[in-house]
Amino acid sequence: MKNLSSKKINKASSLFFCAFMAGCASTDMASTYDANGSAVSQADTFIGADSEKHMKDVKKVGVLSCNVMFGMTTSASASTSGGFRAGNTRAIGTVSRSDVKVSVTYTAQGIEERDLQRIADRACDDAEKQLSNAGFQLVSHDIIKANSHYKNIQAGGRASPFEYKGDGGTRYLVLARSGEAVTDSRYIGASKGLAQSFKSVSGESTAQLEAQMMKELNISGVNINLLVDFAELQGDGHKSWAGLSNKDNAKVSSKVELAVTGDLRFQPVGNIKCARASLMNPADVCSILPHHQPVFAAKQAIASPAKFYSSIDNVTTTSDKVTSGVTKTLGMLSALGGVSSSVARDITRYQVNVLPDVYQAEAFTLSSGFMGMAAAKAAAVR
């Protein structure tokens, strides 16, 4: 998937973005999440932390943003690759080859936008409960919404839901709570980077408005991001090491499973620094340095064994087959001998027919589990 801007995110936060962008929070060879187990006992296994030393004295908190991202289409590809001698003529004859590329796509079908909104609203409400259960003093979201700085943040956000497209047809929907906009700079930064940079001069960027609101309400801010995905695909790469040797096989592995990753970021009110914007502008501009913001992120996907779909159908189209021009074992091809330098393709598409009730129940269980563990770990390091 595309990068969500924010190039310099800290280590724990990058764990979530790795999962989000590349599916690297693999469930293979990973610990099994126990939905009936204690959040405290499982937190160290599933949750990583960064800059946690700044959690000291974080007591009174308010949720400044809560976003839930849902995987709708996921894809992966792999290809063969000739080494640096491929295509040369040797004494024994030609070694030219025709390489192949494998592409596999899974799409979720049967889950409606209104279903996803219900999950997002319920997950965000539950996230506040988990923070409270962990021992944080929670400021009501109604108080947050009534603040003038929050209203300005919302006015500069992106309408929810919006579609986020990545490479190879990968597609996600990003949702905030009902009636609210998506305001996290990692989502809106790519399209509003220039506008945000101009706003920062006057202290009106999202981060600065959040800092001003936290100072005014005397609270530490919390930003929540959750990713609900339904399939893990992984290609075995596109090139041989240094391009020196041939890569004669291409394979895409897949696993259909409902899983949640995410991150929980704190902005300690005690770490806010303010300065006058300019001699002409007497208003203070406030912010918190990124490495002074503790982040608690999923180290691995929190997955469910429940079957959340009725069937998985092969929906490869006629045009896909024509484009492919080859018929081999699904997801794996070998380089073809010959004298052509062209690349043949094998395209396969699957449709995962979702059972909405099961999907909603499991997605909420997993998101609640993540938040419970992240909140417990955050509370434990104070």
Side-chain angles (χ1 to χ4, degrees):
M1 285 194 61
K2 289 182 181 178
N3 199 325
L4 295 186
S5 77
S6 204
K7 299 291 184 183
K8 294 186 180 295
I9 54 179
N10 55 46
K11 291 179 291 184
S13 185
S14 69
L15 291 169
F16 165 59
F17 278 89
C18 182
F20 170 72
M21 293 186 289
C24 61
S26 172
T27 57
D28 291 336
M29 303 301 291
S31 299
T32 300
Y33 170 66
D34 181 4
N36 296 316
S38 128
V40 173
S41 65
Q42 298 183 88
D44 287 340
T45 299
F46 288 93
I47 307 298
D50 189 66
S51 301
E52 61 268 38
K53 66 180 181 181
H54 293 288
M55 284 300 297
K56 184 181 179 181
D57 298 327
V58 173
K59 297 177 180 145
K60 187 179 177 183
V61 302
V63 175
L64 307 185
S65 66
C66 181
N67 303 301
V68 186
M69 204 165 203
F70 295 92
M72 306 307 293
T73 301
T74 185
S75 64
S77 61
S79 65
T80 61
S81 177
F84 80 108
R85 292 299 299 273
N88 293 340
T89 300
R90 303 178 183 178
I92 59 173
T94 182
V95 290
S96 295
R97 54 193 275 149
S98 178
D99 283 294
V100 293
K101 181 176 181 179
V102 180
S103 298
V104 179
T105 299
Y106 282 79
T107 299
Q109 185 69 30
I111 188 76
E112 302 294 335
E113 190 177 289
R114 61 177 179 272
D115 299 325
L116 302 181
Q117 188 65 67
R118 278 194 288 267
I119 298 170
D121 288 342
R122 189 180 176 194
C124 291
D125 288 346
D126 179 73
E128 292 190 328
K129 293 178 183 177
Q130 298 292 351
L131 287 167
S132 180
N133 291 342
F136 293 97
Q137 181 184 345
L138 184 72
V139 173
S140 167
H141 194 58
D142 289 336
I143 294 176
I144 303 290
K145 290 193 296 183
N147 185 272
S148 61
H149 298 305
Y150 189 79
K151 292 178 180 178
N152 289 335
I153 293 171
Q154 286 290 306
R158 187 166 185 176
S160 168
F162 71 87
E163 188 177 71
Y164 204 97
K165 293 182 178 179
D167 296 335
T170 301
R171 187 171 66 92
Y172 285 79
L173 285 180
V174 185
L175 285 79
R177 284 171 162 172
S178 292
E180 298 196 8
V182 177
T183 60
D184 193 301
S185 60
R186 290 177 291 180
Y187 296 98
I188 67 175
S191 61
K192 297 198 175 186
L194 187 60
Q196 286 288 309
S197 67
F198 278 116
K199 288 181 178 181
S200 68
V201 175
S202 60
E204 294 179 353
S205 71
T206 297
Q208 290 165 339
L209 287 170
E210 285 181 339
Q212 291 165 12
M213 175 173 58
M214 289 185 287
K215 185 180 178 184
E216 188 174 292
L217 296 177
N218 190 30
I219 61 171
S220 294
V222 178
N223 301 92
I224 300 165
N225 288 285
L226 297 168
L227 167 63
V228 181
D229 220 337
F230 70 100
E232 179 190 359
L233 272 66
Q234 185 173 2
D236 65 352
H238 293 277
K239 294 182 180 179
S240 57
W241 180 81
L244 297 178
S245 60
N246 293 344
K247 181 176 181 294
D248 292 330
N249 295 292
K251 184 178 182 180
V252 173
S253 59
S254 61
K255 185 176 185 180
V256 177
E257 184 177 57
L258 205 60
V260 167
T261 53
D263 66 24
L264 176 64
R265 177 165 58 100
F266 287 82
Q267 300 188 58
V269 65
N271 290 348
I272 294 176
K273 303 296 181 185
C274 298
R276 182 163 295 183
S278 67
L279 293 176
M280 300 297 294
N281 183 0
D284 284 345
V285 174
C286 302
S287 62
I288 302 177
L289 293 173
H291 61 281
H292 289 172
Q293 300 179 30
V295 178
F296 301 86
K299 294 194 291 187
Q300 65 178 64
I302 301 164
S304 167
K307 186 179 177 182
F308 64 95
Y309 54 89
S310 59
S311 64
I312 301 175
D313 300 334
N314 188 325
V315 292
T316 306
T317 65
T318 300
S319 61
D320 289 331
K321 295 175 183 177
V322 171
T323 300
S324 297
V326 292
T327 303
K328 294 284 182 179
T329 301
L330 175 65
M332 185 172 184
L333 290 173
S334 296
L336 308 175
V339 296
S340 171
S341 61
S342 63
V343 177
R345 295 179 63 87
D346 181 67
I347 303 170
T348 307
R349 303 182 193 275
Y350 284 109
Q351 177 175 293
V352 179
N353 297 306
V354 172
L355 296 169
D357 291 345
V358 179
Y359 180 101
Q360 290 182 70
E362 293 302 314
F364 174 73
T365 296
L366 295 175
S367 63
S368 180
F370 163 76
M371 273 302 307
M373 291 185 291
K377 184 146 188 168
V381 300
R382 288 188 296 173

